Amino acid sequence: MRARLIYNPTSGHESLPNNVGDILNVLEQAGYEASAYRTTAKKRSALKEARRVAQEGFDLVVAAGGDGTINEVVNGIADLDKRPEMAIIPAGTTNDYARALKIPRDDVVEAAKVVLKKQKLDVDIGQAGDNYFINIAGGGSMTELTYEVPSAYKSILGYLAYLVKGAEMLPRISPIDMHIEYDDGVFDGKATMFLIGLTNSIGGMEQIAPNSVIGDGTFSLIIVKETNLRDLVHLITLVLNGGRHVDNPKIIYTKTKEITVKANDDNRIMINLDGEYGGDAPMVFKNLHNHVRMYANVDSIPLKSLDSTQEEKDVGEKIIEEEKKLD
């Protein structure tokens, strides 16, 4: 079996280059013939490499870097008929997806060792027009702060950079008149933002989508209606206090498989995909159910966050492995 490590040397505190050898050794211990690719400053460098090795028949692609690097690797393989399995090594600022999969976020070599446990999940990904996302999509004034945080600040200050920029933007946040269609309804009116989540971890917090289930074929849709500064502060307090924001009248919170978003006027709605700009509305978002097989710390993920069919798949795989041993 062949594995390709695709790593971003500038992610986080630039710790990855010094640990590539140890990560490759871990992959070799897991039974893979392992090699590495260092991404470059060229646009879509990680995406192109992920697609290339997938088309060459590699069995595993390991995305090492921030959420942006993981997003690129997913986009490189998502539309292929035959896709390699994936693993992630977080080395970015928020590392939302790694947090959801309970992958160590403070030691890249320990993160690589998750592969040794041989625990995997069939995870959903989102399709937004011609692009894909693996954790979060959104639009509205609040989501635009990710574009305004300089890369140097992200590396030095981490998530604090987002908090500082968010506080700076709050006074000039203005709602947008939107039309949002989802499985069970339609929202027409002014909204401060909408979020579409595939896990419970968004922006470094695990209570924004409290009943999110990995791999259940649905998005968690959150629409924040027209709000002022006081409303927003109150909603953030409710998020931090056990996810109680979902019952607030300023919030629409639902599960859905497909979402259509457009502006009701000439305002621009920029779409954010895993923290990066992904085009403008109108946009259709579709859930691609169990589209990628991903290494995860499955035994550390709360059962309520896992699709109930996942356990059945794991049992089935163990039975097949035992049968092969008997043969």
Side-chain angles (χ1 to χ4, degrees):
M1 298 188 299
R2 292 184 295 169
R4 186 69 154 175
L5 169 67
I6 299 175
Y7 72 98
N8 183 347
T10 64
S11 288
H13 298 287
E14 302 184 358
S15 62
L16 276 169
N18 294 330
N19 289 282
V20 168
D22 290 335
I23 294 170
L24 293 179
N25 285 338
V26 170
L27 295 175
E28 295 276 354
Q29 291 173 37
Y32 292 98
E33 178 186 325
S35 55
Y37 173 81
R38 178 187 176 111
T39 63
T40 68
K42 290 184 179 180
K43 190 176 181 180
R44 294 154 52 105
S45 170
L47 184 155
K48 291 175 181 177
E49 177 64 8
R51 178 175 290 272
R52 186 188 72 78
V53 297
Q55 291 174 331
E56 284 193 10
F58 275 63
D59 302 280
L60 174 67
V61 176
V62 182
D67 291 335
T69 302
I70 296 168
N71 175 274
E72 274 202 44
V73 171
V74 168
N75 273 270
I77 68 174
D79 63 349
L80 299 177
D81 292 331
K82 189 174 188 301
R83 297 176 293 276
E85 295 181 341
M86 269 192 70
I88 63 173
I89 296 176
T93 305
T94 54
N95 299 314
D96 273 322
Y97 202 65
R99 181 182 284 103
L101 298 187
K102 302 303 178 185
I103 293 171
R105 290 174 286 120
D106 54 1
D107 187 322
V108 295
V109 178
E110 287 301 310
K113 289 180 180 178
V114 169
V115 175
L116 298 175
K117 297 178 70 173
K118 300 188 183 300
Q119 297 177 358
K120 305 170 191 174
L121 291 173
D122 290 320
V123 301
D124 303 340
I125 66 170
Q127 182 173 6
D130 295 328
N131 298 310
Y132 302 87
F133 61 99
I134 195 163
N135 193 62
I136 180 70
S141 302
M142 281 289 287
T143 66
E144 293 175 15
L145 73 90
T146 56
Y147 311 131
E148 299 193 21
V149 179
S151 296
Y153 288 5
K154 292 180 187 178
S155 296
I156 297 169
L157 299 176
Y159 191 62
L160 178 61
Y162 288 103
L163 296 179
V164 171
K165 177 56 69 172
E168 178 186 313
M169 285 185 66
L170 280 175
R172 58 187 173 92
I173 286 171
S174 58
I176 299 173
D177 198 359
M178 301 183 188
H179 176 88
I180 303 176
E181 298 179 19
Y182 48 96
D183 291 355
D184 295 327
V186 176
F187 170 80
D188 256 310
K190 291 187 176 181
T192 301
M193 68 174 169
F194 68 89
L195 296 172
I196 301 168
L198 284 156
T199 73
N200 68 338
S201 184
I202 300 172
M205 293 181 283
E206 295 184 84
Q207 296 293 332
I208 293 183
N211 68 342
S212 179
V213 176
I214 298 171
D216 71 346
T218 68
F219 295 121
S220 294
L221 171 63
I222 301 167
I223 302 172
V224 181
K225 299 177 185 177
E226 184 174 6
T227 51
N228 55 35
L229 181 56
R230 179 175 294 180
D231 292 332
L232 284 172
V233 172
H234 179 59
L235 288 172
I236 292 170
T237 302
L238 292 175
V239 170
L240 297 173
N241 191 15
R244 292 167 52 206
H245 62 293
V246 298
D247 298 318
N248 190 281
K250 290 286 186 180
I251 297 287
I252 292 175
Y253 180 63
T254 186
K255 305 281 282 185
T256 183
K257 294 180 180 179
E258 187 168 319
I259 302 155
T260 301
V261 176
K262 64 181 181 180
N264 279 328
D265 48 31
D266 294 330
N267 284 334
R268 182 185 187 189
I269 303 178
M270 300 170 66
I271 303 300
N272 187 311
L273 303 178
D274 290 333
E276 305 293 333
Y277 172 62
D280 290 354
M283 188 77 73
V284 177
F285 303 86
K286 297 180 180 179
N287 185 292
L288 303 183
H289 183 42
N290 287 175
H291 200 69
V292 174
R293 174 146 278 211
M294 180 80 65
Y295 276 96
N297 239 334
V298 177
D299 55 10
S300 297
I301 301 174
L303 289 177
K304 68 177 182 178
S305 298
L306 291 173
D307 180 25
S308 59
T309 61
Q310 187 63 49
E311 186 175 352
E312 297 172 8
K313 292 176 184 176
D314 291 342
V315 171
E317 286 188 357
K318 289 177 182 177
I319 292 174
I320 292 172
E321 288 179 6
E322 292 302 319
E323 287 179 347
K324 286 181 179 178
K325 291 177 183 178
L326 292 173
D327 291 340

